[in-house]
Structure formats: C-alpha cells, structure tokens
Amino acid sequence: MTRPLALLLALLATVLSATAADPTRPNIVIIFADDLGYGDLGCYGHPNIRTPHLDRMAAEGMRFTEFYSAAEVCTPSRAALLTGRYPIRSGMCHDQFRVLRNGSTGHLPAGEITTAEALKARGYATGCIGKWHLGNWMNNPAGHPRKHGFDFYFGLPHSNDMNLTPVAPKGAGKLAEQQAEWWNAPLFRNEELIEQPADQTTLTRRYTDEAVKFITANKAKPFFLYLPHTFPHTPLFASKDFAGKSPRGIYGDVVEELDASVGKVLDTLRQEKLAENTLVFFTSDNGPWLIMNQQGGSAGLLREGKGSTWEGGMRVPGIAWWPGKIKAAQTQRTLACTMDLFTTSLKLAGANVPADRAIDGLDIRPLLFGTGTVQRDAYFYYRGTRLMAARAGDFKAHFMTQAAYGQAKHEEQTPPLLFNLRVDASETFNVATNQPAVLSQIAQAVERHKIALQPAPSQLVEAVPAPEKK
Ligand code: MG
C-alpha cells in the first residue's frame, strides 16, 4: 500500500470511529441500586411504588425472574459484580465485619481485574458514578476507583450511613424523618472532596446529571458507565420534586426518584442515537434491609432480605435493555447473576476473559439475544466466607441457616434443608426427605466448587476491613 493511501485510510478510520457507533464495541451501562428488594418495582409486582421508566425498560427488553447478586451485603456484592468472581476468591468478604467500614484501609486487591480495566484496554471510556464501597481512599489511596480502571469518578466512597455525626440519635437510619446534620457523608469528584456532609437530598439527581454528562461527552467512543446509586440504602433522602409524593412513603419517594433517573439515562441514549448500540442492565446489590422497618424495602414473596442467604437476601430485580438486539417484552426464567455481567461485558467488547484465574460469571449473551441456553453447574450462596446454600436447577439446599440480618450465629443443617424454588419461591416447605437424589446432586456440585476454589484464597488479609474508627 502506498503511503498516501495508508494515511487516507487511517484518516477515514479516525473520522468513522469518531462519528459512527462501533458495533464491535457496544456501550455498556450497569445501573446498580443499593438494597432494592425483589418486590420493590411495579414490574416485579409492587402495588403502589410507581416505576414507569423501569416498567417501560422491562417492556422494551428482558426481565429476569431468577437474577442474583453474588452476596447478601454491599462490599462483596460489588467486588463480585466488577470481577466476575465469588467474593471468596478476591478476599472481599469478612465473617465479622461483613463490609468495609468508614475506617477500613482494606480495598479491592490491585491484582483483581475489573470490568472497567478490561474495557479500558479495549479503548472504552470508563466512568463510575455513585457509591463505591470497595475501599475508602481517605484511609488508603489504593482503594480509589481510578486505581481500578475507571477514568472518572463521582460519588461517595461507602454507604451513606457510615459517618454519623455526634448529634445523630440512636437508630437514626430507621427514622422516617431524616435530618441532614446527622450524616457526614463525603462527596468526591475524582480525588477531590467537593462536599461534606454531602447534601443527600441531591445525590440521585446529581448522579443522574453526571451520568448524562458522561454519556454525551463520550458518545463518539465506546463507554462503560457503572452507576451504583446510593439509595434506597438508609438514611433515605429524596429531592423536593419527589419527597412526600409516593403512597409508599419516603422509601417509595426514593425508589420513584431512582426510576426517574433510569428514565433520564435511557432518554439520553435515545436522544444521542446510542440506544441501539448500548446494553443497559439494571439490578440491585442485595435484598431489602428489613431491619430498617418502614425505611426498608420488600423482597415480595421471597423469604428474608439483606444479610441473609434466603432468597430475599440475594435474588434481586434484573432488567436488560438493548433496542434492536434484545427483543421486547421478554421474561427470562433462567438463573443469571451479577458476575455474568463481567464476562458478558467483556465478550461484547471483544476483550479476553482473564485466563490466569477462575472466573465464575458466565457469558449470558445466548439468554439476552435468544440464541441458546447457558449451562451452570450450580449457584452458591455465601455469607462472608461461609458457604451457606447452593442451588442447582429448581432446588436449593441450605447447609447452614441463620434467622436474620444481625445474627452471626449459624446453625448447621444436617441433613440440609431443601426447597423447590419453582413451586415454593418463599422457601417454606422443606422437601429434603423426599429428594435424596437431588441432595446428592447438589452435594456433588458443592464438592466440585470446593475443589475449584483451591488453593485457598491468599488475599483475605489484604482486604480485611479494619474496625470502625471511633
Ligand atoms: Mg447494599
């Protein structure tokens, strides 16, 4: 090829890539609610929380009935989403502290490969807007999202309830009337602290504005936007356009504002003509925080909530949207999980799924596009480092059980409890005595999983959260 021709072709390629969507590198947007329950959206059966935008997203795309987070609390769930691995592998789980605390120096280990790192290597712009909770860089800079593949960050390093001020009353998170001065959450843009305490009534709106800005600023390149909302984790705050409007009270106000935020993100993609080259996935990091009384959400017909490995703790809403690629109005009943979003995102982007480590997430493109099935040996429910339960097909065996969120004591189940989730999603009727073959099949899947976990994770020490700073 002559030099002028090569230059011309290179120029043409540059012009094309700056103006046209690249179908080999679609945009990926993951919207992650915090503590939103399986039963909290209109399209999942809530009677009076109004979620027209999420309902429309489901009507235009695919609604999963068996979608799971990979943990029952925030930190391990987020680690799994972004690495495609059970948290036990990265060490981002802890039996005592459960999640990283305000004073923790632990963080997602540098050796972990995040979705953002893998997509950045494929030329994606990468942004994280919202709650991080995989390391507090105020204690240790290595925990910052920009050390884990994100070009841009805006949000809170951890949960919105982690900096109580001395004037906060006992049980402040459960109270219906929240006072801004009880909370001292730090709001960052990249490494810069821009507001403390953050005005929590503005967070959902500001995250949305930043998301819209990120999409429009990066519309000429492929982008990965991770949008982990602060809410509906308590304390609950809605902006004045939403406060006091929902029949479900402040919890409904907050969810309805999140719904409007999703609507804005999808509208932006439509307006920028990016919708047909963008996968958007909406889900939640764990089930509803039931101990927050009326300030906590609902798992619908599922048993228990956040902090437990009953279905309500880990089965969450999951909605996929990609006009022209994912057919409208589909209900997907095959089990899928947040770890699959890692593998599927990499596959969509043409990135190599890491081969030097175990990856638990599966490529669910066949489910999304209706081109085939996905084979999964079993799904494993962890609480900290403990394997509590496993599901294979319709059946779930509980090897250990615990009553509720706050209880650290686990009771070993011998024989395990067994539930047929297809007929008993509420895990009410133990059928262990009738199903020895099923129990043995699940036991074998657990054995294979335990062997696959060897050698035992060595990184636990690096990620161990320190106790709360007093
Ligand atoms: Mg959470």
Side-chain angles (χ1 to χ4, degrees):
M1 196 185 293
T2 63
R3 194 174 149 77
L5 182 61
L7 279 173
L8 186 67
L9 285 176
L11 184 68
L12 195 65
T14 309
V15 170
L16 281 176
S17 69
T19 54
D22 175 357
T24 67
R25 291 181 300 167
N27 308 308
I28 293 163
V29 177
I30 296 176
I31 307 175
F32 211 39
D34 192 353
D35 298 359
L36 181 79
Y38 188 76
D40 281 327
L41 303 179
C43 54
Y44 281 82
H46 198 281
N48 63 10
I49 298 179
R50 297 161 299 193
T51 54
H53 300 97
L54 283 158
D55 300 350
R56 178 181 169 190
M57 182 182 174
E60 292 176 356
M62 177 176 282
R63 187 181 65 96
F64 287 75
T65 62
E66 325 273 318
F67 196 82
Y68 288 88
S69 66
E72 28 64 78
V73 286
C74 297
T75 295
S77 172
R78 283 147 208 272
L81 170 82
L82 289 177
T83 62
R85 288 147 59 80
Y86 283 109
I88 183 92
R89 295 194 195 273
S90 61
M92 293 303 287
C93 53
H94 196 281
D95 292 336
Q96 185 187 350
F97 299 117
R98 318 298 306 287
V99 298
L100 293 173
R101 304 302 178 94
N102 180 26
S104 299
T105 55
H107 57 85
L108 186 66
E112 289 296 318
I113 297 170
T114 67
T115 317
E117 284 166 327
L119 297 191
K120 192 177 163 72
R122 283 284 296 150
Y124 278 64
T126 54
C128 173
I129 296 168
K131 164 179 161 175
W132 176 241
H133 214 176
L134 290 173
N136 183 352
W137 51 89
M138 296 172 92
N139 306 320
N140 182 345
H144 196 283
R146 300 220 301 168
K147 298 278 199 282
H148 296 275
F150 290 98
D151 302 324
F152 174 71
Y153 178 70
F154 181 90
L156 309 184
H158 46 61
S159 305
N160 58 337
D161 65 344
M162 285 186 161
N163 308 50
L164 271 173
T165 62
V167 298
K170 204 166 187 305
K174 291 185 182 181
L175 301 176
E177 292 296 326
Q178 291 295 328
Q179 304 294 325
E181 65 266 25
W182 298 347
W183 311 99
N184 199 28
L187 179 65
F188 282 81
R189 179 185 299 280
N190 294 323
E191 288 80 11
E192 187 192 352
L193 177 63
I194 59 169
E195 195 174 298
Q196 188 174 25
D199 178 352
Q200 295 204 36
T201 65
T202 67
L203 282 183
T204 300
R205 180 179 56 72
R206 283 201 275 177
Y207 290 171
T208 310
D209 292 347
E210 293 291 337
V212 168
K213 262 197 284 183
F214 178 84
I215 291 168
T216 48
N218 292 292
K219 63 185 174 186
K221 351 174 173 160
F223 58 80
F224 170 53
L225 171 60
Y226 170 49
L227 180 50
H229 278 283
T230 283
F231 298 113
H233 192 288
T234 68
L236 300 173
F237 289 98
S239 71
K240 64 177 186 310
D241 290 346
F242 290 87
K245 301 284 168 65
S246 171
R248 169 61 174 84
I250 178 66
Y251 186 86
D253 296 340
V254 163
V255 174
E256 290 181 11
E257 185 162 16
L258 290 176
D259 176 72
S261 169
V262 172
K264 271 209 179 130
V265 169
L266 299 190
D267 278 346
T268 303
L269 294 170
R270 289 184 190 103
Q271 283 155 15
E272 300 292 347
K273 310 254 180 296
L274 296 169
E276 294 183 355
N277 197 40
T278 305
L279 168 67
V280 183
F281 204 98
F282 176 91
T283 186
S284 178
D285 71 331
N286 50 251
W289 208 358
L290 300 178
I291 60 160
M292 290 298 158
N293 306 336
Q294 292 184 28
Q295 314 315 310
S298 164
L301 81 173
L302 305 179
R303 185 163 173 178
E304 260 293 331
K306 172 175 175 172
S308 97
T309 49
W310 296 103
E311 288 292 285
M314 288 173 62
R315 206 200 293 190
V316 286
I319 305 172
W321 182 88
W322 187 346
K325 285 284 278 185
I326 296 175
K327 284 196 201 113
Q330 295 186 82
T331 300
Q332 177 58 256
R333 301 185 194 282
T334 305
L335 192 159
C337 69
T338 53
M339 295 181 291
D340 300 341
L341 300 180
F342 171 86
T343 305
T344 305
S345 298
L346 268 56
K347 289 280 187 186
L348 284 169
N352 292 323
V353 177
D356 64 340
R357 64 197 66 202
I359 299 290
D360 300 298
L362 302 180
D363 176 7
I364 59 166
R365 287 178 301 170
L367 301 182
L368 296 173
F369 304 146
T371 54
T373 55
V374 168
Q375 294 306 320
R376 189 184 312 266
D377 196 20
Y379 196 67
F380 302 99
Y381 302 68
Y382 279 92
R383 192 168 192 262
T385 64
R386 295 187 183 94
L387 180 64
M388 305 289 289
R391 175 177 179 176
D394 292 332
F395 287 92
K396 175 177 173 186
H398 288 253
F399 313 111
M400 312 251 263
T401 193
Q402 80 282 347
Y405 178 79
Q407 298 196 354
K409 193 168 178 288
H410 305 283
E411 283 177 36
E412 197 159 327
Q413 301 295 316
T414 324
L417 304 177
L418 186 71
F419 300 97
N420 180 344
L421 295 176
R422 189 157 54 93
V423 298
D424 177 24
S426 307
E427 298 172 282
T428 306
F429 306 105
N430 178 18
V431 295
T433 50
N434 308 328
Q435 301 284 356
V438 171
L439 273 177
S440 138
Q441 185 206 339
I442 296 178
Q444 286 165 29
V446 168
E447 280 315 304
R448 287 191 291 274
H449 173 67
K450 284 185 173 164
I451 291 164
L453 276 180
Q454 299 301 327
S458 56
Q459 308 96 322
L460 279 167
V461 174
E462 189 183 349
V464 165
E468 192 90 24
K469 264 186 193 163
K470 293 292 176 206

